[in-house]
Amino acid sequence: MLLSVLIPAYNEINSIDTLLEKIQAVPIDKEIIIVDDGSTDGTRERLATYASVPNLKVVLHDHNQGKGAAIRTAIKYMTGDIALVQDADLEYEPQDYMALVQPIAEGKEKVIYGSRFLKPENRHSYMSFYIGGQVVTLLTNVLYNQRLTDEPTCYKVFDADFLRSIPLNCTRFEFCPEVTAKVAKRGIRIKELPISYYPRSVAEGKKISWFDGIEAIWVLLRYRITQ
């Protein structure tokens, strides 16, 4: 089984080298697809130095389009059997890949989410982010008959063919609620597994905002009554 690691990257010069080192250290067959989403801090120039790495492909967006747009681009290039979304920061731990992909590799699941809340020792960032995430998760469970603890998690893992079959329209952070809604409307109960989490601050580069929480709620409501 080949794992496609899909990485949307925007202005992550301080973390990209360490992240790629961590991913390459995971003992699993993988391809790494990084979509630089118009970085201006030297990230794309740094990524150019990885051109000779055989299992790593860098795709460039001419201008910043958003996380969702970068993930949609990465999906077009993936060739693996399993797809995993990885942010370009260091909040999540690639060593969790092994446990997350196993149920899909064994044919038991089509979708796995890594939950930060199933590992009690994890710290969490700002209270506003915590409350916002809980509201989005609760609304997801009510609208889509799920039992999630962490809908906005970065670590979303899919059977690759299944992910390709989902028509996505997202451009920004609404990738998460859109893909969750469309998976749920296929009749799938999403399984969660515990993951590690090391939150960073806004000063350290955290990009999500209160607006993205409002947008997530709107997306969940819209897809419940439309597509």
Side-chain angles (χ1 to χ4, degrees):
M1 303 291 286
L2 178 67
L3 174 66
S4 296
V5 182
L6 313 180
I7 308 177
Y10 177 63
N11 288 350
E12 296 290 359
I13 189 64
N14 293 324
S15 61
I16 196 66
D17 288 332
T18 302
L19 174 66
L20 292 176
E21 182 179 343
K22 283 175 168 285
I23 294 172
Q24 294 287 27
V26 179
I28 190 171
D29 290 335
K30 56 189 167 293
E31 62 176 6
I32 304 169
I33 302 169
I34 307 178
V35 178
D36 182 274
D37 193 35
S39 293
T40 58
D41 68 340
T43 300
R44 64 171 49 202
E45 290 78 12
R46 182 59 185 163
L47 289 173
T49 67
Y50 289 90
S52 62
V53 179
N55 70 336
L56 193 155
K57 182 172 186 60
V58 177
V59 183
L60 304 178
H61 280 178
D62 291 336
H63 62 277
N64 181 246
Q65 301 178 45
K67 178 178 178 176
I71 292 172
R72 288 165 56 203
T73 295
I75 289 171
K76 296 176 182 177
Y77 287 88
M78 69 181 184
T79 64
D81 306 289
I82 300 173
L84 180 148
V85 177
Q86 168 73 64
D87 285 344
D89 54 49
L90 301 174
E91 290 193 323
Y92 293 78
E93 175 51 64
Q95 286 298 324
D96 287 327
Y97 289 1
M98 301 299 288
L100 293 172
V101 304
Q102 185 174 352
I104 299 177
E106 293 175 349
K108 296 178 180 178
E109 305 287 343
K110 291 289 187 183
V111 182
I112 295 288
Y113 282 10
S115 172
R116 296 165 288 182
F117 296 100
L118 292 181
K119 194 167 187 178
E121 59 266 38
N122 283 338
R123 295 185 299 112
H124 296 280
S125 58
Y126 303 94
M127 181 59 67
S128 58
F129 291 163
Y130 173 85
I131 294 173
Q134 291 297 293
V135 169
V136 169
T137 298
L138 176 61
L139 186 61
T140 301
N141 291 339
V142 171
L143 293 177
Y144 295 95
N145 191 31
Q146 296 292 318
R147 295 179 181 174
L148 297 173
T149 63
D150 191 7
E151 191 286 325
T153 180
C154 162
Y155 275 178
K156 291 177 166 63
V157 191
F158 308 87
D159 173 272
D161 286 336
F162 180 70
L163 179 58
R164 290 187 191 95
S165 76
I166 300 174
L168 295 172
N169 303 307
C170 52
T171 56
R172 292 167 37 82
F173 290 102
E174 79 273 19
F175 164 77
C176 284
E178 180 182 353
V179 77
T180 299
K182 291 181 174 180
V183 166
K185 292 189 81 168
R186 299 274 184 100
I188 290 179
R189 179 67 65 85
I190 299 168
K191 180 179 177 61
E192 292 181 310
L193 292 173
I195 57 171
S196 298
Y197 182 58
Y198 308 98
R200 63 176 177 171
S201 67
V202 171
E204 293 170 320
K206 196 171 187 69
K207 300 177 177 69
I208 200 165
S209 70
W210 64 268
F211 172 82
D212 300 298
I214 299 299
E215 186 175 42
I217 291 171
W218 164 241
V219 168
L220 289 169
L221 291 169
R222 177 160 59 93
Y223 283 117
R224 177 65 276 176
I225 61 177
T226 58
Q227 301 180 32

